[in-house]
Amino acid sequence: DTTDQTATANTATVMTFNTTDFSNGVSVVTSGGKASRLTVAQAGIYNLQFSVQLDNTDTQEHDVSIWLRQDASGAGTDIAGSTGLVGVPSSHGGLSGHLIAGWNYFLTLDANDFVEIWWSTPSTQVTIQAYAAGTSPTRPTTASVVATMTFVSNLSTETA
């Protein structure tokens, strides 16, 4: 995603995506006006990798919880054991505190299932940020959220 994302304090908020670089069997589907559902065309085992660029303008450190929600008859159910908790450093010297959080999960999905990435923070001063290109030295833009969903294998259908 190339936009900044904000959350209401202590409220579950879905991460969204506005750009697709490559797509082969996985697409971003909009639900409730938010392009958030990483949806697969075929059943199988998938590897979801993601990173999130967190920014904290407050003078104290704040935690952020990040977790996954998976399709359950179109509604979505939080995936047990998927929550990660990260501390975003405080601002210092007039600069925001920054942290890039990233990890990956293997998921078993049915055809047309989706996965969403959710987050919450106790402070509205913590945001997910996209950054413009920099100078001195010249460097490219920074996306706020990056996700890659890769097909790993078909589901086993062995019987005894």
Side-chain angles (χ1 to χ4, degrees), residues 93-109:
L95 300 173
S96 297
H98 305 286
L99 176 80
I100 190 164
W103 51 83
N104 68 292
Y105 288 90
F106 283 93
L107 304 163
T108 300
L109 301 170

Side-chain angles (χ1 to χ4, degrees), residues 42-116:
Q42 76 176 55
I45 298 170
Y46 288 81
N47 183 8
L48 171 60
Q49 301 177 38
F50 65 90
S51 63
V52 181
Q53 182 68 57
L54 298 164
D55 183 274
N56 180 10
T57 59
D58 198 2
T59 56
Q60 60 183 327
E61 183 174 306
H62 290 287
D63 289 336
V64 171
S65 294
I66 301 172
W67 68 95
L68 303 179
R69 188 170 285 177
Q70 183 174 343
D71 183 47
S73 303
T77 301
D78 294 336
I79 298 175
S82 69
T83 301
L85 182 66
V86 295
V88 185
S90 62
S91 64
H92 48 281
L95 300 173
S96 297
H98 305 286
L99 176 80
I100 190 164
W103 51 83
N104 68 292
Y105 288 90
F106 283 93
L107 304 163
T108 300
L109 301 170
D110 292 328
N112 302 312
D113 273 1
F114 68 83
V115 176
E116 293 176 314

